[in-house]
Amino acid sequence: MQAAQLAEFDAESPGPSFRTAPGLSSGPAAGSWLQHTREQLQVSQCRRLVLPDPVPVLVLAVQRYLGEGARPAAYCYDVSLWDGVSRDTWLLSPELAQWVHRNRLRCGLWARIGRCSYRFLEKRLSSGLVCIEELELEEGHGAGQDGVTGHGEREDIPLLGGRKHYLPLWNNEDPYGGIWKEGKPAEEQLNVNVSKICSLQHLENIWRCKTALPPLLVRIMHKSRLRFFGKPDKKTDIPYQAYFEVADHSGMMSLVLWNSLCPEWFNTLQVGRIILIQQYAVKKSYSKRTLPTPGNLQVKRLPSLEISLNARDPPASINIIKENLVKPEWRLPSVKYQFVTRADLNDLPHNKVCDVIGLVNFVGRCERKRFSDDSEDFWLYRWIQIIDGTSDIPFLLEIFATSQPEIFEKIHPLSYLVCTQMRVIREDPLDSPGAVFLTTSNESQVFISGHHKGQPYISDRKVRNFISWMKTQNEAEVKKKVMIGGYHPFPLTPATFTKYCNENKVESVLTSFGELRNVIEHLHYREHKRIAIHGVIVALRYVEYNDITRNTPDKEAHSASRV
């Protein structure tokens, strides 16, 4: 079964087509409504236009980025539009940001812009931007990309604030946009002078004494998700960092990738790769960060220092070395894992870290959770179930985005899923086996079919056991265990309200009926929020299941609240 998956341890689909906006020709001689409106704004005395009969324009993209200064909202939105002749990018007024928050304004819809204004940019002479202040959406229009031209394209950078890059719409942890480079190939030939290499343990002794530190030859053992630390009042161009754990024969130390090196190297530096590092800085380690649980217990941790790689002071030099060029005398440690089966999970304590592999039999929809009640930042996550043949109960996994959007968005049933550095959540020792689940940590990595080749875990004994078990399975029987679609309220609600409130004050948990509508209206797209209501049941009404599914509007699927 699943021959392609077993052998491993995409034909391109045609893109959507866009139609020409009503009333406009796509020919080169036709006038552009977007360009004409921009020109009208530039000569208008009040720099504002009310458009009584606007032409429908197609929304090509909605892009988010960090605002500037003490703005009421932390993020701004640029909207790329097409009118049948040319495309242009306009700023969305902060008063309309809620249209993006609820995913009402999105790529592929047609919009009529009723009012807009023009702003000059102080730092760009003879340049300005158009701000959308009022619009209506026309979801009924069919969308087609035929005729969209590159005329009017601009550099892919935000309009406001001097920002250098866009962020993904729904979280901050994923790489997004053209600044993020694909993985770089390893060096075909690289002469490594072992006599000049410094061990990590020796580095601890000499780092204060030398201005030019010697080269390091290490293997990447662990990798964290990206951390975005941008603030509206800060001007860091690329405010990202990523942590790695690297090791040689003497021990394991943290390595930090900073700022503009993240887009250049994050997708290249993968677990298991050997790298030669030159021109780097060393500093005392940050004590409050999380650390992965090492799978290779023979490697000594060196926690006092961390290696810092930046684009300057000094400019870091990184070389990737092919595995077949690695020499035994380098004595680099191997990457090891702590895979557990579903049968093993019943005996693992709360917060124990482990790795798992299984066949996906349920994929929940993507959901979002706020950092805090007043925050505009969200965690993006989804619930997954996998089976491995050792128990009738599946693994229940809470998978947060791990800066691997090409994998996170494509997890599907019947795929082989590997998750590393997962934490066991068993908040009550008396919980039933089905209530125990695993959640990702800061250093978790996720892999699905199509991404297993070359990963260090393919030789692990429990991984090979799982593959052997899958070869014995009947595909038709396995498909019967797969759930497609639907919504499952994970984690399960506690049996008693006392248990539910165990870690919260009742005043902060209970929601009154007067507050309920306000809570629902302020939910963002895909936001999930659990609430509790205290009241007396005065009536019950029986509703047919088919009536519920038929009458529920699509927009209700975008936000979830549970009582």
Side-chain angles (χ1 to χ4, degrees):
M1 164 187 178
Q2 303 294 314
Q5 299 185 44
L6 296 172
E8 182 199 7
F9 259 130
D10 295 6
E12 295 184 1
S13 60
S17 60
F18 290 1
R19 69 177 179 84
T20 302
L24 289 175
S25 167
S26 60
S32 166
W33 182 86
L34 290 171
Q35 296 303 318
H36 178 65
T37 303
R38 177 183 283 271
E39 292 167 2
Q40 282 186 299
L41 283 166
Q42 289 173 331
V43 299
S44 171
Q45 290 185 350
C46 63
R47 308 298 180 192
R48 178 173 277 105
L49 286 179
V50 176
L51 305 166
D53 190 23
V55 170
V57 291
L58 182 64
V59 179
L60 296 178
V62 179
Q63 295 177 291
R64 182 176 70 109
Y65 56 98
L66 199 61
E68 58 178 346
R71 296 174 59 88
Y75 299 101
C76 299
Y77 298 91
D78 291 347
V79 184
S80 295
L81 304 167
W82 179 68
D83 61 8
V85 177
S86 68
R87 58 190 298 171
D88 201 358
T89 300
W90 292 5
L91 175 70
L92 187 70
S93 170
E95 287 73 25
L96 299 180
Q98 61 178 336
W99 289 48
V100 180
H101 296 165
R102 300 182 185 181
N103 201 36
R104 291 184 61 192
L105 177 62
R106 58 188 184 274
C107 176
L109 295 183
W110 292 84
R112 292 180 183 268
I113 299 171
R115 188 174 74 240
C116 54
S117 60
Y118 192 80
R119 301 185 189 179
F120 286 104
L121 300 176
E122 296 179 0
K123 296 182 180 180
R124 301 180 190 176
L125 296 177
S126 303
S127 179
L129 60 85
V130 180
C131 178
I132 302 170
E133 296 183 345
E134 183 181 293
L135 58 78
E136 294 181 2
L137 299 177
E138 299 188 358
E139 300 190 29
H141 280 298
Q145 191 159 349
D146 299 333
V148 175
T149 67
H151 179 70
E153 286 189 19
R154 48 180 283 279
E155 189 178 357
D156 193 29
I157 58 174
L159 294 175
L160 277 183
R163 303 297 177 184
K164 302 297 184 183
H165 67 100
Y166 287 108
L167 296 166
L169 270 181
W170 310 122
N171 74 340
N172 289 340
E173 287 71 43
D174 288 338
Y176 174 81
I179 68 169
W180 294 89
K181 308 300 182 184
E182 296 295 330
K184 298 183 179 183
E187 301 283 348
E188 291 293 339
Q189 290 185 344
L190 184 66
N191 295 321
V192 179
N193 189 343
V194 180
S195 64
K196 294 184 178 181
I197 298 297
C198 174
S199 72
L200 295 178
Q201 193 167 36
H202 185 54
L203 183 65
E204 283 191 312
N205 301 323
I206 66 168
W207 71 282
R208 290 185 183 274
C209 308
K210 289 182 175 286
T211 55
L213 296 170
L216 303 175
L217 184 63
V218 293
R219 186 190 296 274
I220 299 174
M221 308 295 281
H222 300 280
K223 177 181 180 178
S224 75
R225 66 164 65 97
L226 281 169
R227 175 178 171 262
F228 176 76
F229 58 88
K231 301 292 181 185
D233 57 343
K234 303 295 183 183
K235 289 297 183 180
T236 307
D237 286 343
I238 312 290
Y240 283 98
Q241 70 169 192
Y243 269 90
F244 300 81
E245 300 300 313
V246 297
D248 62 10
H249 67 276
S250 68
M252 182 167 66
M253 188 178 288
S254 296
L255 178 149
V256 196
L257 202 62
W258 286 98
N259 301 333
S260 60
L261 286 188
C262 286
E264 183 179 355
W265 284 99
F266 183 78
N267 289 327
T268 297
L269 301 182
Q270 301 294 343
V271 172
R273 283 204 155 180
I274 296 100
I275 55 176
L276 176 67
I277 307 170
Q278 302 174 82
Q279 296 176 220
Y280 57 93
V282 174
K283 61 181 181 179
K284 289 287 187 179
S285 61
Y286 180 59
S287 60
K288 295 184 179 180
R289 65 170 286 252
T290 62
L291 291 171
T293 300
N296 192 334
L297 301 179
Q298 297 177 342
V299 179
K300 177 184 177 183
R301 186 184 291 278
L302 306 171
S304 61
L305 301 179
E306 61 185 32
I307 303 160
S308 183
L309 301 184
N310 215 320
R312 59 180 183 271
D313 302 329
S317 172
I318 308 171
N319 295 99
I320 308 296
I321 299 176
K322 275 192 171 182
E323 190 70 35
N324 59 7
L325 299 178
V326 176
K327 299 178 180 180
E329 55 265 31
W330 295 352
R331 296 183 293 161
L332 294 176
S334 59
V335 179
K336 294 186 179 179
Y337 295 86
Q338 301 181 76
F339 279 95
V340 300
T341 66
R342 184 58 185 84
D344 298 332
L345 182 61
N346 297 333
D347 300 322
L348 298 183
H350 179 63
N351 265 339
K352 173 71 175 178
V353 174
C354 60
D355 311 306
V356 295
I357 182 172
L359 180 76
V360 177
N361 71 337
F362 169 74
V363 181
R365 65 193 184 196
C366 292
E367 300 175 13
R368 299 166 73 212
K369 183 184 300 182
R370 288 182 193 262
F371 283 16
S372 60
D373 288 342
D374 58 347
S375 175
E376 287 190 49
D377 295 320
F378 289 81
W379 297 111
L380 182 64
Y381 69 101
R382 64 196 317 180
W383 291 93
I384 311 288
Q385 283 187 346
I386 62 174
I387 56 176
D388 67 355
T390 65
S391 172
D392 293 333
I393 303 173
F395 281 107
L396 177 58
L397 311 177
E398 182 186 34
I399 298 182
F400 286 83
T402 56
S403 303
Q404 300 169 283
E406 73 286 355
I407 295 176
F408 181 84
E409 297 168 1
K410 295 181 181 179
I411 301 174
H412 57 84
L414 297 182
S415 177
Y416 294 0
L417 178 68
V418 170
C419 302
T420 65
Q421 294 290 308
M422 302 290 286
R423 287 192 303 114
V424 177
I425 303 299
R426 186 194 301 273
E427 297 181 350
D428 189 334
L430 300 179
D431 280 344
S432 65
V436 179
F437 64 93
L438 302 174
T439 188
T440 48
S441 64
N442 191 54
E443 294 78 22
S444 290
Q445 296 275 284
V446 178
F447 301 95
I448 58 172
S449 302
H451 296 267
H452 297 305
K453 186 177 180 180
Q455 296 298 333
Y457 55 73
I458 59 176
S459 59
D460 187 274
R461 179 177 58 84
K462 289 192 175 181
V463 172
R464 304 312 304 173
N465 289 345
F466 169 77
I467 299 299
S468 298
W469 172 73
M470 282 305 305
K471 290 179 179 179
T472 67
Q473 300 303 297
N474 179 276
E475 185 170 359
E477 292 299 318
V478 171
K479 285 183 177 179
K480 291 179 181 179
K481 302 176 182 178
V482 171
M483 294 178 286
I484 305 294
Y487 171 71
H488 293 259
F490 296 130
L492 299 177
T493 306
T496 65
F497 187 67
T498 301
K499 190 174 179 182
Y500 178 73
C501 298
N502 194 29
E503 296 181 358
N504 301 279
K505 293 181 179 179
V506 173
E507 291 79 6
S508 66
V509 173
L510 284 175
T511 301
S512 69
F513 287 105
E515 299 169 329
L516 180 59
R517 180 177 294 276
N518 185 57
V519 170
I520 294 175
E521 287 179 350
H522 284 80
L523 288 174
H524 283 212
Y525 177 61
R526 290 177 172 173
E527 181 178 358
H528 184 279
K529 188 171 185 177
R530 174 176 280 177
I531 61 175
I533 296 175
H534 183 230
V536 178
I537 298 175
V538 295
L540 293 173
R541 183 165 68 94
Y542 176 76
V543 180
E544 289 282 354
Y545 174 77
N546 290 336
D547 291 339
I548 296 175
T549 56
R550 183 169 58 249
N551 295 329
T552 300
D554 292 341
K555 64 181 181 180
E556 291 182 356
H558 296 159
S559 297
S561 62
R562 258 190 305 165
V563 180

Short mmCIF file of all heavy atoms in Angstrom, two decimals, residues 8 13 59 131 149 185 193 272 291 301 323 384 391 403 454 488:
data_model
loop_
_atom_site.label_atom_id
_atom_site.label_comp_id
_atom_site.label_asym_id
_atom_site.label_seq_id
_atom_site.Cartn_x
_atom_site.Cartn_y
_atom_site.Cartn_z
N GLU A 8 9.93 6.10 -0.72
CA GLU A 8 10.61 7.35 -0.37
C GLU A 8 11.40 7.21 0.90
O GLU A 8 12.43 7.85 1.05
CB GLU A 8 9.56 8.43 -0.20
CG GLU A 8 10.16 9.78 0.11
CD GLU A 8 9.12 10.66 0.70
OE1 GLU A 8 8.02 10.17 0.97
OE2 GLU A 8 9.42 11.83 0.91
N SER A 13 -0.76 21.82 -10.82
CA SER A 13 -2.14 22.06 -11.22
C SER A 13 -2.23 23.41 -11.91
O SER A 13 -1.52 24.33 -11.55
CB SER A 13 -3.05 22.05 -9.98
OG SER A 13 -2.65 23.05 -9.09
N VAL A 59 -9.28 41.79 -6.89
CA VAL A 59 -8.28 41.75 -5.81
C VAL A 59 -7.29 40.63 -6.12
O VAL A 59 -7.64 39.45 -6.11
CB VAL A 59 -8.95 41.51 -4.45
CG1 VAL A 59 -7.88 41.44 -3.35
CG2 VAL A 59 -9.96 42.60 -4.14
N CYS A 131 -4.98 55.47 -0.81
CA CYS A 131 -5.56 54.77 0.34
C CYS A 131 -7.03 54.50 0.09
O CYS A 131 -7.80 55.42 -0.24
CB CYS A 131 -5.38 55.62 1.60
SG CYS A 131 -6.09 54.89 3.09
N THR A 149 -1.82 41.39 -16.87
CA THR A 149 -0.49 41.65 -17.40
C THR A 149 0.41 42.17 -16.29
O THR A 149 -0.04 42.49 -15.20
CB THR A 149 -0.55 42.70 -18.53
OG1 THR A 149 -0.94 43.95 -17.95
CG2 THR A 149 -1.54 42.29 -19.60
N PRO A 185 22.50 24.48 -2.42
CA PRO A 185 23.15 23.17 -2.54
C PRO A 185 24.43 23.10 -1.70
O PRO A 185 25.05 24.13 -1.41
CB PRO A 185 23.46 23.07 -4.03
CG PRO A 185 23.59 24.49 -4.48
CD PRO A 185 22.61 25.28 -3.65
N ASN A 193 40.69 22.34 6.28
CA ASN A 193 41.95 22.18 7.00
C ASN A 193 41.64 21.87 8.46
O ASN A 193 41.37 22.77 9.25
CB ASN A 193 42.79 23.45 6.88
CG ASN A 193 44.19 23.27 7.42
OD1 ASN A 193 44.47 22.31 8.16
ND2 ASN A 193 45.09 24.18 7.07
N GLY A 272 20.73 17.58 10.55
CA GLY A 272 21.58 16.55 9.96
C GLY A 272 22.68 17.09 9.07
O GLY A 272 23.66 16.38 8.79
N LEU A 291 14.94 24.76 25.42
CA LEU A 291 15.98 23.92 24.83
C LEU A 291 15.37 22.60 24.40
O LEU A 291 14.49 22.06 25.09
CB LEU A 291 17.11 23.68 25.83
CG LEU A 291 17.97 24.89 26.19
CD1 LEU A 291 18.90 24.55 27.35
CD2 LEU A 291 18.80 25.35 24.99
N ARG A 301 26.10 18.65 26.53
CA ARG A 301 25.58 19.99 26.26
C ARG A 301 26.52 21.05 26.83
O ARG A 301 26.99 20.93 27.97
CB ARG A 301 24.19 20.15 26.88
CG ARG A 301 23.53 21.47 26.50
CD ARG A 301 22.19 21.66 27.20
NE ARG A 301 21.19 20.74 26.71
CZ ARG A 301 20.47 20.92 25.61
NH1 ARG A 301 20.71 21.98 24.85
NH2 ARG A 301 19.56 20.06 25.24
N GLU A 323 27.41 15.08 2.62
CA GLU A 323 27.59 13.95 3.55
C GLU A 323 28.69 13.01 3.07
O GLU A 323 29.45 12.46 3.88
CB GLU A 323 26.27 13.20 3.70
CG GLU A 323 26.25 12.16 4.81
CD GLU A 323 26.27 12.77 6.20
OE1 GLU A 323 25.68 13.84 6.39
OE2 GLU A 323 26.91 12.16 7.10
N ILE A 384 -4.44 16.83 14.45
CA ILE A 384 -4.18 15.70 13.56
C ILE A 384 -4.32 14.40 14.36
O ILE A 384 -3.96 14.36 15.54
CB ILE A 384 -2.76 15.76 12.96
CG1 ILE A 384 -2.46 17.15 12.38
CG2 ILE A 384 -2.54 14.66 11.93
CD1 ILE A 384 -3.17 17.47 11.13
N SER A 391 -1.90 0.26 18.75
CA SER A 391 -3.03 0.48 19.65
C SER A 391 -4.26 0.80 18.82
O SER A 391 -4.16 1.31 17.69
CB SER A 391 -2.73 1.63 20.62
OG SER A 391 -3.87 1.98 21.37
N SER A 403 7.13 26.88 10.96
CA SER A 403 7.90 27.58 9.91
C SER A 403 8.17 26.67 8.72
O SER A 403 9.20 26.80 8.04
CB SER A 403 9.21 28.15 10.46
OG SER A 403 8.98 29.02 11.55
N GLY A 454 16.18 11.46 2.68
CA GLY A 454 17.38 12.08 3.19
C GLY A 454 17.31 12.52 4.64
O GLY A 454 18.31 13.00 5.19
N HIS A 488 -13.91 18.40 14.92
CA HIS A 488 -13.83 17.67 16.19
C HIS A 488 -13.31 18.62 17.27
O HIS A 488 -12.25 19.23 17.09
CB HIS A 488 -12.91 16.46 16.05
CG HIS A 488 -13.44 15.41 15.13
ND1 HIS A 488 -14.05 14.27 15.57
CD2 HIS A 488 -13.47 15.35 13.78
CE1 HIS A 488 -14.42 13.53 14.53
NE2 HIS A 488 -14.08 14.18 13.43
#
